[in-house]
Each structure stands twice: as structure tokens, then as C-alpha cells.
Amino acid sequence: MPAWGLGVAVLVALGVDRRWGEPPVRLHPVVWMGHYLGWAGKRVQQGARQDPGGAPDYKAFWLGALAWCAGAALVLIAAVVLQQVLVQALAVAGPAGWEHMGATLLAAVLLGALLKPLLAWTLLKNEVLAVEKALAPEQGGSLAAGRERLRWLVSRDVSQLTEAQVRESAIETLAENLNDSVVAPLFWFALLGLPGAALFRLANTADAMWGYRGLYQGRNWEWAGKWAARADDILGWLPARLTALLLVLAAGGVSLVQLKTEAQRTASPNSGWPMAAMALGLGVCLHKPGVYALNAPGRAPGPQDTQRAIAYASNGLLALVGIAQAAIILIAIGELV
């Protein structure tokens, strides 16, 4: 498919996301990935030792790696087949002429529809806004309601969080998942097409379900989830930094040196980058109690900061799409010359 077709596919995916949001659960490929990972995870755990802090559990590590690779193979095969069907349809349409252009446009629209479930900007934005609404007393909200709504977004214990900490967690989730749910899938789609976006979403979902240090929900993932965690780190490394730069571009006035310093305060090699960029851009402190504090001198975020965070993320995404479309146009012009 020509470069301009990929550009159309991205616009279609984002358009469908904005207009209709997520597909039904029974038809959602990321939900299918989660079902597979849940099933495989139970079997991996049957062979894992449940004593965190003990000797390295290489059996659990390789079982987890094998299960991850099997899931990746299934996802890649499905994505390659779907994309190849569209490519073959273009070949049948012929090498040139209006008929071929029409077929390319149709294939790009269909490819965009297939790409859409692999990104989720509207859902992420709405969930963060829902936390803010749940906190707002003028809308019938309360701290308890805000904590409960935040529970939909994070895996941490929210029962003791203050109002500011609930808001911080929501803004952190927005920044981190702007990468995981939007920028990174688009990045890998640009490089490898639909298989690239699908592989990243599998890796990110596996990390969310398996990538824990020590015990999580009564199971020891220290070694069983290590492969999944490292795979997500590798695939998300460059997109996370790209996301941070997009947020810096949207917010303005952020020092890249300070961004690097703040990003390294988190244990994750990737998530600290977009979160630090958001903290610095807003001028607030985002912290996880007892773990890290990003932009520690910053103030506690208020309701207006949630709106500003969403505006920064939206503008960063627009900048990404604009840059990508400009690059595609230049590539298309180069193909014609």
C-alpha cells in the first residue's frame, strides 16, 4: 500500500475512535488478547514457585516467555493475513488509474477500521474526565466517588488517597496511556503496518497482566512475568520518549534536561517520560506515595489541571498526526518524481 494509504488509515482509525469509541467487547481484539493471556497466565503459574525473594525461577521465566511468544505468533499471523488480504485486493485492481486509486482508498479505510481497536484515545480521555467529575461536589461527587472511579484506571490501592492524589493518579494515567494506547500503536503501525500495532498491544497487555515484581493478586510474577515486562520496555522505549516530546511541544517552556532528570525518578524505563513531561508542563507534582515524586517543587493539581492535561495530550496527538501526514505527503511526492 502506498504511503498516502497508510496516512488515510490513521485518519480513519482516529475518526472512528472519536465518533464511535470502542467496538463491542465480544469483537474487541485487545479483549481477545486479554482472554488468551489470562488463560495462559494460569498455566504458567501452575509451574511457578510462589516464594517471592527466593532463588531465580528459570522454569517460570521460560514458561512465561513461551506463552508470550505463542500469543505474539497468533497475533502476528492474524494481522499479517488481514493486511495481506487488503494488499492482494489492490494487486487485483491493477497498477494504475482511477480504479486502482479507488481500490487503494477503500483498502486504506478498511485498514483504518482494523487499526482502530488497537488504539483508544477517546476511552482514555473520557475515563480521566469521569474521575474528575466523580470528585466534583457541585456535580454530586465526593472523594469516595473519585477513589472508586479511579479504581477503574489503576491497579494500586486507592482507599487512602487524598483528593489531590486521586487527581494526580488520573493525570499520570492519562500521560502514560497516551503512549501505551495511542502513540506507540501508531508508531509501530507506521513502521510495520497492522502487525506492528497488534504486536505492541499484545506486549502492553501482557505487561499489564503479568509484568509485576513479586506477588500480585496472590500470584508470584517476579520471574513468570519478566519476559513480558522486558518486551514491553523494549517496544515502548522510543514511543515513550516521542510521547514526552509531543507533550513538551504542546505545553511549551519545558527544559529537556529537567525532563530527563525527572523521568529517571521512576523505576520504569518508559512511563516516567510522558508523566514527567506532563508534570513539568502543568507545573504540578505527580507522585506515587512512597515510590516517586515528579517535579517535587510543583503544586498539587486542581480540577483545572485535569482539563489542561487533556488539552496538552490532545494537542500532542494532533501534532503527531500533522507531522506524520506531512512526512507521508513528502514520501508520496518522492514516489511520483
Side-chain angles (χ1 to χ4, degrees), residues 38-299:
W39 172 85
K42 290 179 181 178
R43 280 143 187 83
V44 169
Q45 283 293 344
Q46 290 175 358
R49 293 201 303 265
Q50 300 304 316
D51 53 334
D57 189 351
Y58 294 116
K59 178 181 178 181
F61 172 80
W62 288 113
L63 284 173
L66 182 61
W68 188 97
C69 290
L74 291 172
V75 165
L76 286 173
I77 289 171
V80 167
V81 168
L82 288 171
Q83 184 165 284
Q84 193 61 28
V85 167
L86 297 179
V87 171
Q88 290 299 321
L90 288 180
V92 171
W98 288 107
E99 290 184 0
H100 179 71
M101 183 171 290
T104 302
L105 181 61
L106 177 60
V109 170
L110 293 175
L111 186 60
L114 292 173
L115 174 63
K116 157 58 203 110
L118 303 176
L119 57 89
W121 166 236
T122 298
L123 176 64
L124 173 61
K125 178 177 63 175
N126 289 344
E127 288 300 321
V128 172
L129 286 173
V131 173
E132 188 60 53
K133 182 178 179 181
L135 285 171
E138 64 273 15
Q139 299 187 54
S142 65
L143 176 56
R147 288 170 175 168
E148 187 58 34
R149 189 70 191 191
L150 180 65
R151 202 185 303 274
W152 294 27
L153 287 176
V154 301
S155 58
R156 71 180 69 171
D157 179 17
V158 302
S159 61
Q160 303 301 315
L161 297 183
T162 65
E163 179 178 329
Q165 289 170 341
V166 169
R167 190 169 286 116
E168 287 174 36
S169 297
I171 293 174
E172 286 176 347
T173 299
L174 174 70
E176 182 178 4
N177 283 281
L178 176 64
N179 175 60
D180 293 346
S181 298
V182 188
V183 175
L186 291 177
F187 174 86
W188 286 107
F189 175 76
L191 288 184
L192 302 175
L194 191 65
L199 179 62
F200 176 80
R201 285 317 303 265
L202 174 84
N204 187 246
T205 305
D207 180 57
M209 296 178 68
W210 297 0
Y212 297 94
R213 292 183 175 181
L215 291 176
Y216 177 70
Q217 296 184 345
R219 295 290 186 178
N220 180 20
W221 290 101
E222 181 68 33
W223 286 88
K226 197 174 289 293
W227 179 285
R230 295 296 175 267
D232 182 65
D233 288 345
I234 293 169
L235 294 176
W237 193 91
L238 192 54
R241 286 148 180 82
L242 173 60
T243 304
L245 291 176
L246 291 170
L247 290 173
V248 167
L249 182 64
V254 175
S255 163
L256 295 182
V257 173
Q258 190 178 8
L259 171 63
K260 181 179 179 181
T261 299
E262 295 299 322
Q264 293 174 341
R265 298 189 189 281
T266 65
S268 168
N270 295 333
S271 63
W273 284 85
M275 292 193 300
M278 186 66 82
L280 292 167
L282 294 172
V284 303
C285 174
L286 298 178
H287 79 289
K288 185 175 183 178
V291 182
Y292 59 77
L294 303 176
N295 192 29
R299 56 183 171 77

Side-chain angles (χ1 to χ4, degrees), residues 287-315:
H287 79 289
K288 185 175 183 178
V291 182
Y292 59 77
L294 303 176
N295 192 29
R299 56 183 171 77
Q304 73 283 359
D305 291 308
T306 301
Q307 299 293 340
R308 290 174 61 210
I310 289 174
Y312 288 161
S314 298
N315 290 338

Side-chain angles (χ1 to χ4, degrees), residues 30-43:
V30 179
V31 174
W32 299 344
M33 293 175 193
H35 288 330
Y36 165 78
L37 291 166
W39 172 85
K42 290 179 181 178
R43 280 143 187 83

